[in-house]
Amino acid sequence: MFTIVINSIIIFVFIMKEIKFYNNYKVQSLYGRYIINESIEPVITKYSFNIAGYSVNNLPVYSLMYGNGDIKILLWSQMHGNESTSTKALFDLLSFLENYGKELKSKISLKIIPILNPDGAKNYTRENFNNIDLNRDAQNLTQPESKILRNIYDDFKPDFCFNLHDQRTMYSLDNFNSSVISFSSPSVDKIKSETNSRILSMQIISSIYEKMNNIIPGNVGRYSDEFNINCVGDTFQNLETPTILFESGHYKNDYQREISRKFVCLGLIYALKAILNSKIDYKKYYQIPENKKQLCDIKIINIKVKKDSGYKKTNMSIMFNEKLNLLEKKIEFIPVIFEVGKIHEIKGHLTINFSKIDKIFNLNASSSISQITDYIDKLRNIH
Ligand SMILES: [Zn+2]
């Protein structure tokens, strides 16, 4: 018992140190959800970078090289233009390596594409300028961005690939915990065969999980590994390159994803260290809890809604639509009613009880959502 307590204290002190230390190398100039070429240009010029090609709408797709070791790792972010968290984390990682990672730097060579889909980033869309999801174009390679990634893969011949994405706020784990970060070792076939490359990816993920679950216990998950050869991760894994999917998720109240960015950065550092010396049993991968979809942004309980000539008391879930405000270059979160009813199996990142509100809301009126959010703000004392 005594040793367990001492061990927990040691781990806790170590974690606090590591989290505090992150601020020493975080790239402060990158902030928020709207990360585009102009955001990264002042930072990327500090590194050995080039233009790997051009997007559909003729924006440069940058790539950079870092490190001089033998183990080659290819990393790409913002294949989905509106998934920017790991782009910030990638530059944090580089800053970490530059300042504190001499040994790592000497053993690995990173090829990084920070924004694979710069048109999608600029318009804040998942798809590229032709409305194509690049993560369904790995086989047909119809889009210039898909070709750029594939050409780099073929030329660089990576030993490992890191495929970096964002997941929505609805993803949960056991006990309705938010899935703050999740990982997957993409499948190579429908029966999810354990090939050598898959096993190696599973081993690295297990090693990352072991560390990350100490930092945010219960908030680290396993993303779906349903096979789809049109997805880039599945294609590269199929070509026998160990590939890891990273999914940045939602941490409480962190809609700018500045906290989950830190966890992605730590996850990347742990992944690189695991590549160099992990001996963990890959089967631990299967013990990582799988993502579920059991969360909404706001859950309202006991709200009175108009029904016939009277009202009924019910619950509702609200999700935020992410909308680009081009003038202010930021993302706005627009609440929309997602579901109305019992929804016992859904919890909210925020739960508000409307039992003391006498107003009856008419959900058929277009103003109903703004009236509801006014009351939410009042109940939370936000003015
Ligand atoms: Zn994605």
Side-chain angles (χ1 to χ4, degrees), residues 166-369:
D166 270 74
Q167 63 188 8
R168 286 166 293 167
T169 53
M170 62 170 59
Y171 284 105
S172 61
L173 296 163
D174 298 337
N175 305 318
F176 298 95
N177 282 341
S178 181
S179 179
V180 174
I181 186 166
S182 68
F183 302 92
S184 177
S185 169
S187 297
V188 297
D189 53 30
K190 278 200 172 130
I191 57 163
K192 303 180 182 181
S193 299
E194 291 183 349
T195 58
N196 287 344
S197 81
R198 263 207 100 200
I199 286 174
L200 210 46
S201 308
M202 288 176 182
Q203 193 182 37
I204 294 159
I205 292 171
S206 305
S207 182
I208 305 169
Y209 175 78
E210 199 176 62
K211 290 214 167 69
M212 299 235 54
N213 202 45
N214 282 327
I215 302 178
I216 34 173
N219 294 110
V220 186
R222 183 153 55 94
Y223 200 86
S224 162
D225 57 2
E226 281 307 312
F227 175 64
N228 182 349
I229 195 65
N230 297 309
C231 297
V232 177
D234 303 45
T235 289
F236 290 170
Q237 188 93 283
N238 209 280
L239 294 167
E240 295 177 12
T241 309
T243 299
I244 296 172
L245 173 74
F246 286 64
E247 292 277 352
S248 321
H250 181 71
Y251 189 86
K252 202 173 171 56
N253 298 325
D254 177 36
Y255 281 92
Q256 298 305 325
R257 299 218 164 165
E258 287 296 302
I259 297 174
S260 45
R261 154 197 194 166
K262 172 169 67 184
F263 296 129
V264 180
C265 177
L266 292 177
L268 288 166
I269 295 169
Y270 298 146
L272 297 182
K273 289 181 176 171
I275 283 176
L276 294 177
N277 52 30
S278 178
K279 299 280 181 287
I280 204 165
D281 177 8
Y282 79 91
K283 287 208 166 72
K284 289 195 170 169
Y285 174 80
Y286 295 110
Q287 290 163 18
I288 302 172
E290 279 184 285
N291 273 356
K292 302 171 191 150
K293 292 179 184 171
Q294 288 188 316
L295 284 165
C296 64
D297 289 306
I298 304 173
K299 182 172 178 180
I300 297 177
I301 55 173
N302 301 317
I303 185 169
K304 298 175 187 71
V305 301
K306 193 172 177 328
K307 194 188 179 198
D308 306 325
S309 55
Y311 74 87
K312 67 168 182 175
K313 246 185 185 183
T314 188
N315 299 333
M316 84 176 44
S317 62
I318 289 178
M319 295 296 285
F320 292 134
N321 274 348
E322 293 165 21
K323 192 173 162 241
L324 170 61
N325 177 337
L326 205 51
L327 213 63
E328 292 183 35
K329 294 194 168 183
K330 67 173 193 185
I331 305 308
E332 288 172 355
F333 296 87
I334 314 293
V336 290
I337 297 169
F338 191 67
E339 232 182 326
V340 181
K342 286 181 179 162
I343 54 172
H344 291 313
E345 69 288 2
I346 299 286
K347 277 204 176 177
H349 287 290
L350 173 71
T351 301
I352 304 276
N353 191 344
F354 266 46
S355 62
K356 289 190 180 143
I357 306 291
D358 292 327
K359 186 178 167 59
I360 297 163
F361 296 89
N362 178 3
L363 298 186
N364 292 323
S366 60
S367 59
S368 64
I369 185 68

Side-chain angles (χ1 to χ4, degrees), residues 79-80 82-83 126 133 135 164-167 245 247:
M79 151 178 279
H80 293 141
N82 56 357
E83 298 178 5
R126 173 182 173 90
D133 184 338
N135 208 20
L164 308 171
H165 291 256
D166 270 74
Q167 63 188 8
L245 173 74
E247 292 277 352

Side-chain angles (χ1 to χ4, degrees), residues 77-139:
S77 178
Q78 276 178 281
M79 151 178 279
H80 293 141
N82 56 357
E83 298 178 5
S84 55
T85 308
S86 45
T87 308
K88 298 183 287 185
L90 277 173
F91 285 101
D92 295 339
L93 169 72
L94 288 169
S95 168
F96 168 82
L97 291 171
E98 191 62 7
N99 292 296
Y100 308 102
K102 270 208 177 80
E103 205 195 325
L104 267 176
K105 188 182 173 184
S106 68
K107 291 181 175 162
I108 53 170
S109 288
L110 306 180
K111 181 93 177 171
I112 298 178
I113 310 169
I115 302 180
L116 181 64
N117 175 6
D119 295 329
K122 193 171 179 184
N123 297 324
Y124 203 69
T125 59
R126 173 182 173 90
E127 294 81 10
N128 75 348
F129 203 74
N130 286 335
N131 279 324
I132 300 291
D133 184 338
L134 299 177
N135 208 20
R136 300 291 179 274
D137 192 38
Q139 290 292 312

